[in-house]
């Protein structure tokens, strides 16, 4: 599907309507992955949580995935280490990429920060096409993820 800034304005509005500050954080994470997967039809959408020295699989939608990722490893671990979003056009060309599912060809990962600017989660989306994610996806998704940061 073609995604435009409007796609993300709509997604943000819908996500904002789903967030409930009275329920556990996990409930909101799960509902957000469900919404994004449903609207964008991506292969895998999910969160990894920083727990001690590794990333641990949290709420997600899609096929089963790797449950633990060490600091600095894979795209997610690099994003945590660098404190930067990463867009990978071709996972085969990213050194150290962790292949949870061989159908994944491109991905985007975005760190989520707590109030102390520490990385608390890594948000990860995988696609079965190469080169699927662009700057506008990063911008639009980051805005949606501020809804989670506001809960931390
Ligand atoms: N490919 C990721 C691992 C997580 S899965 O894609 C769900 C990585 O290299 O960190």
């Amino acid at each position: 599907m073609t995604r435009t800034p409007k796609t993300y304005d709509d997604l943000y509005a819908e996500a904002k309507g789903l967030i409930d500050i009275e329920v556990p954080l996990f409930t909101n994470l799960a509902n957000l992955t469900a919404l994004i997967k449903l609207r964008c039809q991506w292969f895998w959408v999910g969160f990894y949580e920083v727990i001690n020295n590794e990333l641990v699989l949290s709420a997600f939608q899609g096929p089963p995935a790797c449950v633990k990722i060490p600091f600095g490893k894979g795209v997610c671990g690099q994003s945590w280490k660098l404190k930067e979003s990463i867009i990978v056009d071709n996972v085969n060309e990213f050194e150290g990429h962790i292949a949870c599912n061989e159908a994944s060809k491109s991905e985007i990962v975005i760190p989520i920060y707590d109030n102390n600017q520490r990385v608390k989660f890594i948000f990860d989306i995988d696609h079965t096409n190469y080169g699927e994610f662009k700057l506008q996806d990063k911008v639009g998704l980051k805005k949606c993820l501020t809804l989670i940061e506001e809960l931390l």
Side-chain angles (χ1 to χ4, degrees):
M1 88 187 245
T2 309
R3 298 177 298 278
T4 65
K6 171 139 188 350
T7 309
Y8 285 106
D9 287 348
D10 292 349
L11 191 63
Y12 177 81
E14 221 176 337
K16 198 172 164 68
L18 272 185
I19 298 290
D20 185 333
I21 60 169
E22 293 178 357
V23 300
L25 178 63
F26 186 88
T27 308
N28 287 304
L29 296 176
N31 243 359
L32 189 58
T33 60
L35 174 70
I36 294 174
K37 178 95 164 57
L38 181 72
R39 291 287 171 252
C40 301
Q41 306 285 308
W42 283 317
F43 178 67
W44 196 92
V45 178
F47 293 92
Y48 281 89
E49 182 172 2
V50 174
I51 299 180
N52 300 322
N53 289 329
E54 58 193 2
L55 295 170
V56 178
L57 184 61
S58 182
F60 72 98
Q61 293 270 317
C66 322
V67 294
K68 292 184 196 166
I69 299 177
F71 180 73
K73 299 293 181 191
V75 186
C76 293
Q78 276 293 304
S79 172
W80 176 19
K81 185 176 174 183
L82 301 172
K83 292 182 125 191
E84 279 174 12
S85 301
I86 302 175
I87 291 174
V88 179
D89 287 335
N90 179 348
V91 297
N92 303 315
E93 292 173 356
F94 188 98
E95 202 182 324
H97 169 260
I98 299 167
C100 296
N101 190 301
E102 64 180 30
S104 295
K105 303 296 186 223
S106 61
E107 68 179 275
I108 181 169
V109 301
I110 300 175
I112 295 170
Y113 302 92
D114 65 14
N115 287 333
N116 299 315
Q117 293 308 305
R118 279 192 297 250
V119 176
K120 183 72 185 144
F121 292 95
I122 296 291
F123 182 64
D124 182 1
I125 300 175
D126 290 6
H127 204 288
T128 52
N129 293 344
Y130 292 108
E132 184 65 26
F133 299 103
K134 308 292 177 205
L135 181 61
Q136 69 190 34
D137 297 303
K138 179 169 122 179
V139 172
L141 290 165
K142 272 179 91 121
K143 187 174 172 199
C144 292
L145 293 170
T146 61
L147 294 166
I148 297 300
E149 287 175 329
E150 286 165 7
L151 301 173
L152 300 179

